[in-house]
Amino acid sequence: EAAKKAGGPIMVTFSRGGGQFIAGKAADNTDDAACIAGSVAGALHVRAVAKLYGVPVILHSDHCQKSWLPWFDGMIKASEEYFEKNGEPLFSSHMLDLSEEPLEENIAICKKYLERMAKVNLLLEMELGVTGGEEDGVDNSNVDSSRLYTQPEEVWQVYEALSSVPNGQFTIAAAFGNVHGVYAPGNVSLKPEILHNTQKYIKEKLGCKSDKPV
């Protein structure tokens, strides 16, 4: 409704817990079955009603850590099946948050998934660095503060790996001290200059003219 009034697009995002809520907490969630079913049902619902509002909708899924990969796999499978029938994926994009894993493992798993997702035009959002605070049952309130800030060299490593995937579409969520939740003034130290410095670093690496190559 807000998007229709504003005359613009909107992003609808599903979390793993949100998917389970849609399916019903009493539903069997073995191998994330309820989380998958609820997220898929929600995506189909949004597609059906979006036509009535006449606004573009991006269907996205939020943070997915390593232990939640069955949920991630289930949503991709749904998009693959939808793609076969309709020529486009059910979802628009998915976020894979493996920031708690070693960088090399994070990149390797993301690349593997991007190779699969690229075949059905799904965009991958990957995360570097840890987002502080708590969301969807994941609590990073006491994480080492150094992990809240991504370094340009790390983003470059990701860019090199993922940009090699044919038809691969991806974004990189670099941490600059951003957190989930509500905090008193002065308790959060945001450093958005990290994003500027990263773009500058990769521009120099690529030797390109664009000020925002990533």
Side-chain angles (χ1 to χ4, degrees):
E1 183 179 351
K4 183 176 182 179
K5 290 180 179 179
I10 187 171
M11 175 182 281
V12 176
T13 303
F14 295 92
S15 66
R16 178 175 175 271
Q20 185 178 14
F21 178 83
I22 292 172
K25 289 297 183 73
D28 181 8
N29 197 38
T30 302
D31 296 327
D32 279 351
C35 297
I36 295 167
S39 298
V40 170
L44 290 169
H45 169 78
V46 171
R47 278 187 169 273
V49 299
K51 297 176 183 178
L52 305 178
Y53 287 91
V55 295
V57 178
I58 296 172
L59 283 168
H60 182 66
S61 67
D62 210 358
H63 298 261
C64 177
Q65 61 190 30
K66 189 176 180 180
S67 61
W68 295 352
L69 286 177
W71 172 56
F72 201 81
D73 288 324
M75 290 186 293
I76 293 179
K77 182 180 178 182
S79 274
E80 291 169 336
E81 293 172 350
Y82 193 90
F83 187 89
E84 287 184 9
K85 298 176 182 178
N86 302 282
E88 64 180 16
L90 174 60
F91 292 88
S92 308
S93 54
H94 297 291
M95 182 181 191
L96 190 52
D97 182 358
L98 303 177
S99 56
E100 294 185 357
E101 312 306 324
L103 179 60
E104 291 74 17
E105 183 178 2
N106 184 350
I107 294 174
I109 295 176
C110 284
K111 183 178 180 181
K112 178 182 177 182
Y113 273 105
L114 183 59
E115 290 170 344
R116 179 181 176 186
M117 295 168 70
K119 297 175 183 178
V120 293
N121 299 328
L122 270 171
L123 182 143
L124 171 69
E125 177 188 3
M126 71 86 64
E127 178 151 341
L128 283 175
V130 175
T131 299
E134 189 275 335
E135 183 184 53
D136 205 26
V138 178
D139 191 350
N140 291 325
S141 301
N142 298 314
V143 71
D144 188 318
S145 62
S146 66
R147 299 183 65 193
L148 299 177
Y149 304 98
T150 301
Q151 300 304 308
E153 295 82 2
E154 296 173 327
V155 179
W156 171 245
Q157 282 184 257
V158 175
Y159 179 83
E160 276 195 303
L162 300 190
S163 62
S164 69
V165 177
N167 195 46
Q169 303 174 71
F170 65 92
T171 60
I172 302 172
F176 56 95
N178 40 315
V179 298
H180 291 130
V182 179
Y183 297 82
N187 285 356
V188 176
S189 178
L190 298 178
K191 298 181 180 180
E193 62 270 17
I194 286 176
L195 305 181
H196 170 75
N197 294 338
T198 296
Q199 296 284 16
K200 182 179 179 181
Y201 179 87
I202 295 180
K203 177 182 178 180
E204 292 173 354
K205 282 285 189 180
L206 294 174
C208 65
K209 294 182 180 181
S210 174
D211 290 329
K212 295 180 180 179
V214 181

